[in-house]
Amino acid sequence: MSNQKIKKANGAEPDEFESQVAQELLNLEMTSTDLKASLRDLYITAAKEVDCGAGSKAIILYVPYKLQKSFQKIQARLIRELEKKFSGRHVVIVAQRNILGKSYARSQKTKGLRPRSRTLTAVQDAILEDIVYPTEITGKRTRCKVDGRRILKVYLDGRDQANVEGRTDTYAAIYGKLTNKQVSFIFSS
């Protein structure tokens, strides 16, 4: 029954953790009156548990790119409910995106370059936007240190500071796990 809330690529079977997350989504659809209609047609493609350091864990829900806008409409309520169910672990929703290599060649019918939205940089920027949603990113700076390390400084909207301040370490850990890039979050005034 819970498998209707998770559809993996190529019909693969979900693992135990993904089934548990899918079951919670199904339970929310059945019990929550305000989320029932919104969750009816939505499903996830994968779920991952990520270690964020200091003994805390976070859950990443991967959703199909086409359903991302629908998830974002109910994201605040959905995340609040899921965090209650998973005992305070932070939940992040990220759209499933494809990265096409530089040597990507289209078929004979559709000639042209690879779409900009499928480049590594564009996908990593989009992942960052997904992680911090509903907060807006107001600016980015890349800081190159003397030893060669690069740190991405991301400036978030100051109006959301009260809601997001406790989550910035989780966001940085998740972005680091997904992209192997260091990031620090600062609130602009």
Side-chain angles (χ1 to χ4, degrees):
M1 186 74 176
S2 67
N3 285 352
Q4 69 188 33
K5 284 291 162 196
I6 184 164
K7 294 181 182 170
K8 303 213 27 117
N10 304 328
E13 282 295 311
D15 62 23
E16 187 179 326
F17 179 71
E18 290 173 332
S19 297
Q20 181 184 356
V21 171
Q23 185 61 47
E24 290 301 334
L25 282 171
L26 188 68
N27 292 348
L28 274 176
E29 183 183 337
M30 298 299 180
T31 57
S32 177
T33 53
D34 57 339
L35 291 174
K36 186 175 186 122
S38 306
L39 277 174
R40 184 171 297 123
D41 299 326
L42 301 181
Y43 59 90
I44 61 173
T45 55
K48 245 195 234 179
E49 193 169 33
V50 176
D51 185 31
C52 295
S56 63
K57 292 186 182 282
I59 298 170
I60 305 173
L61 299 181
Y62 289 96
V63 301
Y65 178 74
K66 290 183 176 184
L67 295 179
Q68 181 194 17
K69 292 278 186 248
S70 304
F71 269 101
Q72 285 182 344
K73 287 178 187 168
I74 60 165
Q75 185 162 340
R77 290 176 293 169
L78 181 63
I79 284 178
R80 193 176 325 114
E81 293 297 324
L82 286 174
E83 285 178 352
K84 283 182 202 169
K85 302 276 188 200
F86 289 107
S87 64
R89 285 183 274 186
H90 291 221
V91 178
V92 174
I93 297 175
V94 177
Q96 189 82 47
R97 292 184 169 83
N98 294 327
I99 300 172
L100 300 175
K102 286 184 178 179
S103 61
Y104 171 73
R106 289 182 179 240
S107 66
Q108 285 300 104
K109 293 178 195 164
T110 56
K111 289 190 173 7
L113 301 170
R114 69 178 165 161
R116 286 273 187 261
S117 63
R118 307 288 197 291
T119 61
L120 178 69
T121 310
V123 169
Q124 288 180 345
D125 287 346
I127 287 173
L128 185 61
E129 299 234 351
D130 288 352
I131 289 172
V132 300
Y133 187 84
T135 306
E136 283 186 27
I137 295 174
T138 56
K140 290 183 205 165
R141 304 283 182 273
T142 303
R143 179 154 186 235
C144 299
K145 296 212 171 179
V146 180
D147 60 357
R149 286 185 300 154
R150 290 173 162 224
I151 297 177
L152 183 66
K153 284 187 174 183
V154 177
Y155 294 91
L156 299 176
D157 196 353
R159 291 176 292 193
D160 299 324
Q161 185 170 358
N163 304 336
V164 181
E165 197 157 27
R167 297 169 158 263
T168 54
D169 295 336
T170 305
Y171 291 165
I174 289 172
Y175 189 70
K177 293 271 192 230
L178 294 178
T179 63
N180 290 327
K181 286 186 171 181
Q182 277 190 314
V183 66
S184 65
F185 294 98
I186 301 162
F187 292 95
S188 59
S189 51

